[in-house]
Amino acid sequence: MPTTTTSAPALFSPEWAEAVRDAVDRGPSDELRAEKLPTYWEWIDEVRAGYDDSWALVDPDLPAEFGGGPAHLLLQWERGRCTRAAIVGPEEAAGATYVLRATHEAWRELLDGADAGRMLIYRRVRLERGDVLQFFRGVYFVVEALAALGRVPARLDEVGRLTGDRQAYQ
Amino acid sequence: MKAVLERGTVEGRPHAALTGGDGMVTRQETVQERVANSTLAQIRDVDIDDVLDYLHADLKKLPDYLDLYRRYLRQRWDVYELDFGQDAIDWRTRMSAEERTAFVAISSGFHHGERQVEVELPVFMLGGSEESKIYMSSQIEDEARHTIFFDRFYREVVALPGTSIQDVLDASYPHVSETFVGPFGLLAHQADELRRDPEDPAARVRYGTTYFLWIEGVLALSVMKITLSYCRTRKLLPAYYSGFTATCRDEARHVQGGMRILRDAVQSDPAMLHEIHETLRTILRMNGAVSRRLALESLGWTPEEVRRLMIRQLTMKLSDVGIDLPPDLREQIDRLQPELAGG
Ligand SMILES: [Fe+2]
Ligand SMILES: [Fe+2]
């Protein structure tokens, strides 16, 4: 299900960042939760309860009409709530607990409904900075947050829509 | 270390080397030789329990890399020699819908697991001794062959659509559990860490713990035991049985080589034990999340039996190579949840 429309906020705009904060903070709907066992969500709730880390999500080649790349979305978690989402510069992004990088093509795939977990497996989304073992202790929480981000409507380019062609993995 | 290596039993049965000079020794050794020397056609008569015994027997002496390489040259099998014709008939006419669903759910984690361990291994081969590099080249080829084995099974038996290997992987992905990204995403990112410095001893140990101890030594062997016992008991899927039993024999080399890597690393620097523990803490933490229920009962297993099987696979390897665990990790192991994938 493509989540790109011409009226949606542009990818890496402040409006989009706030919509992402709201979506990841709210978590999945009851309908989405029902697709997986309750124990999976309980695991995520437990990880999330004391979560204080921050994530910087990077698009190294955001098109020029959107401000150009690299672009960085910073998401700050405090005791399990996403308290801040901002488009920041490289220095602030580098200070995040985890820096995740995806090519612009991979961002398009994520917004086009690609499986967020599979994107991590194929390193289409790549942990560029941060402790790998600690990151994976919260991995399903991150995956579900990326999936929620992917569902937030965003304008990706001047055409305002995706081709619908899912890129082959790797 | 030596005392630790020689202690214990194999899969609950006395090991040949420990039984003394009676007739039992000869019989047991014959079984092990049969496992070691079977051709692909002969391996159809080999029991998975005997392959698991074979694997654990050598864990106690841990063959060196060139021994493993020589064994690879003798045991290499041709994945295109398998004829899946009868399997396709069994699949359509002798298995219930529930059995097929459970079988696909379990096998898909392996289909993707084989691809993953194949593509993440070359970076590990960039480091280590020259002997270990020679050996690793054989494991990379094994994993590629295992990937083809599942590709053929999914095309010719399950009848998934697709012209390329990626197409078939895409078609089986919906059957893969959401929690596959735990250990396999971890491996992908540990490989990425290794890419920056393939000789980093701590990064090699963390990678080796995920790959050789957990994915191969616990997850893969558990899936093998479950699906192969099912095929053997029900007399189903003969080509799958042959190919997957041969895969398990390959796995014996992989686990033995992998345990050697971990044991040698800890022996040369005891601080490496901490890296094994930290990796296991992450793996066991992730293992607590279960997103789908697997209908294991239709394959003749209860979740509790699978749990115990996994615990046993893990603790046997740890004790065989002399890796002690602190209390918090022992408690985490007691709470282990069934998780089925492999490579
Ligand atoms: Fe393997
Ligand atoms: Fe394999």
Side-chain angles (χ1 to χ4, degrees):
Chain A
M1 182 186 66
T3 48
T4 50
T5 59
T6 42
S7 59
L11 190 69
F12 286 96
S13 65
E15 300 76 28
W16 173 75
E18 177 51 28
V20 168
R21 191 205 58 74
D22 182 57
V24 298
D25 188 57
R26 225 172 333 105
S29 63
D30 289 347
E31 204 182 342
L32 283 168
R33 286 178 84 101
E35 290 175 5
K36 290 161 202 163
L37 287 179
T39 51
Y40 176 76
W41 300 110
E42 285 158 15
W43 187 96
I44 289 175
D45 292 344
E46 202 185 311
V47 166
R48 186 176 163 170
Y51 207 82
D52 280 324
D53 290 337
S54 54
W55 308 337
L57 307 175
V58 186
D59 180 344
D61 36 37
L62 186 71
E65 61 265 35
F66 290 92
H72 313 83
L73 167 67
L74 183 76
L75 294 173
Q76 178 66 54
W77 294 88
E78 283 175 83
R79 287 199 222 145
R81 300 304 303 264
C82 188
T83 53
R84 181 178 172 233
I87 305 303
V88 299
E91 298 81 16
E92 194 173 352
T97 322
Y98 302 111
V99 177
L100 291 157
R101 172 185 287 255
T103 63
H104 190 63
E105 202 52 54
W107 277 97
R108 293 171 66 110
E109 287 170 31
L110 186 64
L111 271 78
D112 198 25
D115 183 280
R118 198 172 182 199
M119 294 192 75
L120 263 183
I121 296 167
Y122 279 75
R123 290 187 296 263
R124 299 286 292 157
V125 173
R126 185 180 226 124
L127 180 63
E128 192 178 58
R129 187 182 297 200
D131 186 283
V132 171
L133 290 181
Q134 292 298 331
F135 176 78
F136 273 86
R137 286 179 198 183
V139 64
Y140 308 121
F141 171 45
V142 180
V143 165
E144 292 301 330
L146 288 173
L149 177 153
R151 290 189 293 268
V152 173
R155 191 155 44 85
L156 277 170
D157 51 37
E158 283 187 312
V159 181
R161 64 175 182 80
L162 290 174
T163 59
D165 294 335
R166 215 179 102 222
Q167 294 295 309
Y169 284 90
Q170 197 157 303
Chain B
M1 179 62 70
K2 195 112 200 324
V4 174
L5 294 182
E6 286 173 2
R7 200 177 55 212
T9 57
V10 178
E11 288 286 297
R13 285 182 264 162
H15 172 237
L18 300 174
T19 53
D22 56 17
M24 183 75 176
V25 171
T26 318
R27 197 186 65 75
Q28 288 275 337
E29 281 176 345
T30 305
V31 171
Q32 303 236 329
E33 279 167 12
R34 199 158 67 90
V35 172
N37 301 327
S38 287
T39 63
L40 187 59
Q42 292 164 336
I43 215 161
R44 193 174 157 181
D45 298 322
V46 170
D47 191 320
I48 175 64
D49 282 334
D50 291 330
V51 185
L52 292 174
D53 280 3
Y54 167 77
L55 184 156
H56 288 106
D58 262 1
L59 267 191
K60 293 164 197 303
K61 33 188 193 294
L62 284 181
D64 69 32
Y65 297 118
L66 292 184
D67 286 341
L68 290 169
Y69 181 67
R70 286 170 72 112
R71 216 203 283 170
Y72 156 81
L73 292 175
R74 289 197 304 272
Q75 294 180 340
R76 186 166 53 173
W77 48 283
D78 183 346
V79 65
Y80 294 105
E81 235 176 63
L82 294 168
D83 178 354
F84 282 105
Q86 183 60 46
D87 294 51
I89 295 169
D90 289 351
W91 187 262
R92 287 195 309 271
T93 64
R94 296 185 56 214
M95 288 172 69
S96 69
E98 200 186 14
E99 287 172 323
R100 284 195 298 262
T101 303
F103 203 92
V104 161
I106 294 175
S107 303
S108 298
F110 230 103
H111 183 206
H112 286 263
E114 293 289 9
R115 176 244 161 226
Q116 187 86 23
V117 297
E118 173 213 338
V119 303
E120 307 301 357
L121 193 51
V123 70
F124 189 81
M125 184 182 150
L126 297 176
S129 68
E130 292 310 307
E131 286 80 1
S132 83
K133 286 173 183 156
I134 297 285
Y135 162 70
M136 278 303 159
S137 74
S138 71
Q139 182 165 339
I140 292 169
E141 191 280 319
D142 276 334
E143 305 299 13
R145 182 157 22 85
H146 301 167
T147 306
I148 293 290
F149 169 74
F150 276 98
D151 180 72
R152 285 198 60 199
F153 176 74
Y154 273 99
R155 281 170 204 267
E156 297 174 42
V157 180
V158 185
L160 289 188
T163 50
S164 68
I165 288 174
Q166 186 69 60
D167 286 345
V168 181
L169 284 163
D170 288 351
S172 80
Y173 190 76
H175 302 286
V176 175
S177 165
E178 289 77 8
T179 52
F180 181 86
V181 64
F184 291 88
L186 173 62
L187 182 68
H189 284 80
Q190 288 177 316
D192 218 26
E193 260 190 314
L194 217 45
R195 203 181 312 273
R196 285 170 220 147
D197 180 5
E199 296 287 6
D200 177 350
R204 290 178 72 78
V205 165
R206 291 192 297 266
Y207 171 103
T209 303
T210 303
Y211 190 133
F212 310 124
L213 177 60
W214 182 253
I215 291 176
E216 297 193 308
V218 178
L219 298 183
L221 297 185
S222 301
V223 172
M224 284 165 165
K225 167 88 175 148
I226 292 165
T227 59
L228 290 171
S229 322
Y230 164 78
C231 294
R232 193 173 177 87
T233 312
R234 296 280 318 275
K235 296 188 170 49
L236 290 168
L237 309 176
Y240 178 93
Y241 186 87
S242 300
F244 209 35
T245 304
T247 299
C248 188
R249 184 174 66 181
D250 295 340
E251 218 56 53
R253 275 182 269 109
H254 304 176
V255 173
Q256 288 163 11
M259 291 309 100
R260 185 174 193 98
I261 288 161
L262 294 183
R263 191 201 63 180
D264 290 356
V266 173
Q267 279 183 343
S268 67
D269 180 3
M272 289 301 119
L273 197 56
H274 174 74
E275 304 295 334
I276 295 176
H277 290 166
E278 278 299 282
T279 308
L280 278 175
R281 280 189 185 99
T282 296
I283 287 168
L284 294 167
R285 178 86 187 85
M286 295 190 296
N287 166 267
V290 180
S291 65
R292 301 184 187 194
R293 210 189 83 78
L294 291 169
L296 292 161
E297 290 84 353
S298 66
L299 301 182
W301 289 78
T302 66
E304 183 57 24
E305 284 169 336
V306 173
R307 223 177 69 74
R308 288 183 188 284
L309 174 64
M310 290 174 65
I311 291 175
R312 193 149 104 148
Q313 291 300 331
L314 178 58
T315 51
M316 281 171 79
K317 264 121 220 142
L318 293 171
S319 74
D320 280 353
V321 297
I323 297 170
D324 284 330
L325 295 182
D328 71 302
L329 272 171
R330 287 180 194 281
E331 281 166 30
Q332 273 188 295
I333 290 175
D334 288 341
R335 293 195 300 268
L336 207 90
Q337 293 299 313
E339 177 180 343
L340 297 170

